[in-house]
């Protein structure tokens, strides 16, 4: 049992040196903010942070409050804080707080912390930027009597198949990191789907006919996210989505 000592004494005995030694806890604080276009910062609430000891064992975890702030109460020692990358944001920077001269941790969303008894180690901060892929302008479709081939204008790490007037099947290769937790698909700058880590294809439906879409793929891992690739596709003219099936039947 913590803070207890078993003592057995005989008649007339004086049992000495049953002592207790206490050590004052240290406090680690910081905040998480979103970097706005005007250069100001806005706090981000409910972001998870995990505190690990120097051996990589989890010590505690917490979340940011409405002011974007968080704190840990810990015994003296060497630690590091890992921010769980919030969905919809890109990592901008981390700040090693305190005045201990800890080496900068090279891992994204991670800061080193060294505290002594009674220390208040502040400003262990993280800054995020709202993810906003560049939108592709949607051209106005002009009337025409003859079908045109469906173009795949540009592509990077992605492919498109089964293109109709209302749907497109997207395919992508395995990310190099191999530790993805999800894929997020954007269509002309708007998030349209979140796909599980084991998927390498997804069919988008309810699209507009004869419209150019720029589909972008963002890869999320437990601690970070990054831009994976894009493909620009033009959907078929309205009512032509059935033609490939008819051609297949006639083969």
């Amino acid at each position: 049992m913590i803070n207890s000592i078993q003592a057995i004494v005989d008649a007339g005995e004086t049992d000495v040196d049953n002592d207790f030694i206490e050590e004052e806890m240290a406090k680690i604080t910081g905040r998480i903010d979103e970097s706005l276009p005007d250069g100001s910062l806005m706090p981000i609430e409910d972001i998870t942070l995990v505190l690990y000891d120097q051996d990589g064992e989890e010590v505690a975890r917490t979340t940011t409050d409405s002011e974007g702030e968080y704190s840990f109460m810990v015994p003296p020692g060497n630690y590091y804080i890992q921010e769980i990358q919030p969905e919809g944001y890109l990592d901008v920077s981390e700040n090693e707080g305190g005045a201990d001269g800890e080496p900068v941790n090279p891992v994204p969303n991670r800061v080193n912390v060294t505290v002594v008894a009674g220390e208040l180690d502040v400003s262990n901060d993280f800054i995020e930027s709202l993810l906003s892929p560049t939108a592709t302008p949607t051209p106005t479709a002009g009337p025409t009597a003859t079908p045109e081939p469906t173009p795949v204008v540009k592509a990077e790490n992605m492919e498109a198949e089964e293109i109709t007037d209302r749907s497109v099947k997207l395919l992508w290769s395995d990310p190099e990191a191999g530790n993805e937790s999800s894929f997020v698909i954007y269509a002309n700058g708007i998030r349209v789907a979140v796909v599980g880590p084991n998927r390498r294809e997804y069919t988008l439906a309810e699209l507009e006919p004869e419209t150019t879409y720029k589909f972008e793929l963002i890869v999320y891992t437990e601690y970070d996210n990054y831009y994976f690739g894009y493909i620009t596709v033009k959907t078929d003219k309205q009512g032509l989505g059935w033609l490939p099936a008819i051609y297949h039947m006639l083969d």
Side-chain angles (χ1 to χ4, degrees), residues 240-251:
L240 296 181
W242 52 271
L243 287 177
I246 295 296
Y247 293 153
H248 180 71
M249 291 172 61
L250 295 176
D251 286 344

Side-chain angles (χ1 to χ4, degrees), residues 53-69:
D53 64 19
Q54 60 184 351
D55 297 321
E57 296 293 327
E58 181 175 331
V59 175
R61 63 175 55 209
T62 188
T63 56
T64 53
D65 60 19
S66 60
E67 298 298 321
E69 298 176 347

Side-chain angles (χ1 to χ4, degrees), residues 5 7 26 43 46 71 93 108 115 118 125 137 158 185 190 192 226 234-235 238 246-247:
I5 296 175
D46 202 31
S71 65
S93 66
V115 288
D125 303 333
M158 297 180 69
I185 301 172
I190 300 173
V192 292
Y226 60 91
K234 185 177 181 181
T235 52
Q238 189 168 8
I246 295 296
Y247 293 153

Side-chain angles (χ1 to χ4, degrees), residues 166-242:
R166 292 289 185 179
S167 64
V168 174
K169 181 179 180 180
L170 302 177
L171 304 95
W172 56 91
S173 57
D174 289 330
E176 293 183 3
N179 60 345
E180 61 275 7
S181 59
S182 64
F183 299 96
V184 179
I185 301 172
Y186 286 78
N188 290 349
I190 300 173
R191 189 173 74 170
V192 292
V194 178
V195 183
N198 297 321
R199 296 283 296 275
R200 296 296 181 269
E201 62 181 50
Y202 188 82
T203 298
L204 291 165
E206 300 183 5
L207 302 177
E208 292 297 322
E210 203 174 2
T211 300
T212 299
Y213 288 92
K214 183 178 182 181
F215 299 109
E216 299 175 282
L217 190 69
I218 307 298
V219 180
Y220 279 82
T221 69
E222 183 179 1
Y223 302 124
D224 200 4
N225 57 43
Y226 60 91
Y227 192 90
F228 182 73
Y230 74 96
I231 189 167
T232 304
V233 179
K234 185 177 181 181
T235 52
D236 280 336
K237 297 181 183 298
Q238 189 168 8
L240 296 181
W242 52 271

